[in-house]
Amino acid sequence: MIQLKGAVAPRRALAAGALLVASVFGATSAMAQGSPIRVGLMLPSTGTYAALGTAITNGFKLHVAEQGGKLAGRNVEYFTVDDESDPSKATENANKLVKRDKVDVLVGTVHSGVALAMAKVARENKTLLIVPNAGADELTGPLCAPTLFRTSFTNWQPAYAMGKVTAQKGHKKVVTLTWKYAAGLQAVEGFKEAFEQSGGKIVKEMTLPFPNVEFQPFLTEIAALKPDAVYVFFAGAGAAKFARDYHAAGLKNSIPLYASGFLTDGTLEAMGEAGKGLQTTLHYADGLDNKKDAAFRLSYAKTYKLQPDVYAVQGYDAAQLLRAGLAAANGDISQKDVIIKAMEAAKIDSPRGTFTLSKAHNPVQDIYLREAQGGQNKVIGTPLKALADPARGCKM
Ligand code: BEZ
């Protein structure tokens, strides 16, 4: 009940009090009646990254299902858009979720270029955005924002670790190859930073347009250049094709191939013989010794009859992070400041190992060295522990 101070309550104050009661009651009763949290999943379900989008969706929904279909006591209603990993359609797609579907939270996406456009829409509309994959360094760099969180990585993180590992293996001259867009270019930059700090030299940086898979001319050039090793960023269906082509060109046994772990996560089956023995760096691996991972893998396999990969983990953790925020606000999505504060302070018990977020809202996490053995990316080391992205340009 609202109590007004003073002997005679002015009519205006009474009316305002009545309105306040009505709106507080309205919000509470909507929550009590179980009005759902509206979650917009903007992910690819077609194209070279389709499987990545599916795994993220599976992971997110698995965590919600484990909470009885609710987050902080609220039911969850999903709105989905296939973003096709196409940056030219990204603004329109994000607007469909924000303006048409009026989602409370945006979750997406896989492709760095699409995520950059999504972040702009989210910022303009003050919508909470959780990025469950796209590594664009800018998202937690110059474009960092209080309402923008990431549960995955920056393109720099695994690549920087691979640069260090490649140098430690004694390689001096490396050729790089990737798709020409933010993810690939920034991964090469991260690799180069660590590799050159350790005295290595990049002898040639090669690119092709995303999602082109005509690798033959590049393989011919690599054979002619005879570097000590090759570093690549590829992911999804294109990654499997690249590894098969590298093998078929007879390069696998003569020039070691290294990559950020996206090359082999979720793709080893499609690579067959070509994937065997490949070493990559990533914030997730098979064979981690932690209870959360064991429970997650069992639950995921039971639910989807599939083995999870890094994308599933990132989706699962996006739901965990959202739950941490909502729980602090008792499920009231309008309490943005409370939600943000709780998400910033969250310690996520992830299948990858527990992680916290940096000031720029990006995971501070261990980076594992993995080797493809028996169809799995087996952990064989941890070259960097609690690695934080430098978050260059973030002013928060
Ligand atoms: C990206 O575009 O940021 C990305 C896509 C697939 C795997 C990793 C990163």
Side-chain angles (χ1 to χ4, degrees):
M1 186 165 127
I2 300 237
Q3 294 199 340
L4 292 169
K5 282 192 183 150
V8 183
R11 200 178 284 244
R12 238 190 0 230
L14 274 174
L19 260 178
L20 181 62
V21 171
S23 76
V24 168
F25 176 75
T28 321
S29 80
M31 274 163 58
Q33 284 161 17
S35 92
I37 294 287
R38 300 165 78 84
V39 174
L41 297 175
M42 181 161 149
L43 292 161
S45 52
T46 53
T48 199
Y49 289 161
L52 288 59
T54 303
I56 290 168
T57 304
N58 287 348
F60 192 98
K61 291 187 172 174
L62 180 64
H63 183 66
V64 174
E66 287 173 357
Q67 303 299 311
K70 294 176 196 277
L71 289 179
R74 303 280 302 274
N75 286 320
V76 178
E77 187 173 358
Y78 295 105
F79 297 83
T80 55
V81 163
D82 173 11
D83 68 33
E84 303 168 50
S85 296
D86 184 346
S88 73
K89 298 181 183 162
T91 302
E92 191 188 333
N93 281 330
N95 273 323
K96 279 184 195 158
L97 293 171
V98 172
K99 296 204 171 124
R100 183 193 64 192
D101 299 332
K102 307 216 173 328
V103 299
D104 297 308
V105 187
L106 268 177
V107 177
T109 185
V110 169
H111 184 287
S112 277
V114 177
L116 289 170
M118 237 182 133
K120 192 159 178 275
V121 172
R123 180 193 284 249
E124 283 165 2
N125 292 279
K126 300 188 173 59
T127 306
L128 188 61
L129 168 61
I130 303 179
V131 179
N133 185 70
D137 293 345
E138 297 91 331
L139 295 172
T140 50
L143 300 181
C144 71
T147 49
L148 196 170
F149 288 80
R150 175 153 52 193
T151 56
S152 50
F153 57 90
T154 60
N155 293 318
W156 180 89
Q157 280 176 308
Y160 183 83
M162 196 72 243
K164 193 171 164 235
V165 169
T166 306
Q168 279 167 354
K169 286 177 182 289
H171 301 304
K172 298 277 181 238
K173 288 187 303 170
V174 163
V175 167
T176 65
L177 174 61
T178 187
W179 283 314
K180 191 174 184 178
Y181 82 101
L185 299 176
Q186 293 172 354
V188 167
E189 278 309 304
F191 175 88
K192 190 171 162 181
E193 187 180 328
F195 188 58
E196 292 190 346
Q197 273 167 6
S198 307
K201 189 168 165 22
I202 306 293
V203 289
K204 181 121 194 196
E205 292 181 31
M206 304 192 295
T207 59
L208 71 166
F210 173 85
N212 200 323
V213 290
E214 295 306 316
F215 299 118
Q216 204 48 54
F218 302 98
L219 299 175
T220 305
E221 199 175 346
I222 288 169
L225 286 167
K226 295 191 178 56
D228 297 343
V230 170
Y231 168 81
V232 298
F233 167 91
F234 292 112
K241 165 86 165 51
F242 176 76
R244 288 196 304 265
D245 287 1
Y246 197 82
H247 184 46
L251 294 173
K252 188 167 170 240
N253 294 327
S254 53
I255 305 177
L257 175 63
Y258 301 116
S260 295
F262 312 108
L263 184 77
T264 53
D265 241 69
T267 54
L268 283 176
E269 205 180 315
M271 285 180 188
E273 194 62 27
K276 281 189 188 155
L278 289 180
Q279 290 194 0
T280 58
T281 43
L282 204 63
H283 49 287
Y284 187 56
D286 295 307
L288 294 179
D289 183 19
N290 81 60
K291 277 193 189 141
K292 183 72 182 184
D293 192 42
F296 166 75
R297 289 168 90 96
L298 197 64
S299 176
Y300 194 93
K302 259 191 186 164
T303 309
Y304 301 111
K305 315 287 174 256
L306 286 170
Q307 287 306 312
D309 55 20
V310 70
Y311 310 105
V313 170
Q314 294 166 172
Y316 187 86
D317 291 342
Q320 293 211 76
L321 181 63
L322 178 58
R323 181 166 68 92
L326 280 172
N330 291 320
D332 181 357
I333 191 76
S334 71
Q335 290 190 36
K336 284 262 167 63
D337 291 351
V338 176
I339 292 172
I340 288 170
K341 223 169 140 198
M343 285 168 72
E344 285 174 336
K347 226 176 168 187
I348 302 295
D349 183 14
S350 169
R352 75 188 85 172
T354 303
F355 72 86
T356 54
L357 294 178
S358 67
K359 268 181 82 178
H361 297 177
N362 189 67
V364 177
Q365 55 195 340
D366 293 350
I367 305 291
Y368 305 108
L369 177 63
R370 309 110 47 88
E371 185 174 290
Q373 300 168 5
Q376 292 202 318
N377 288 292
K378 286 276 186 205
V379 61
I380 56 168
T382 310
L384 286 165
K385 288 190 98 52
L387 181 66
D389 180 85
R392 294 169 186 130
C394 172
K395 303 210 168 55
M396 250 199 329

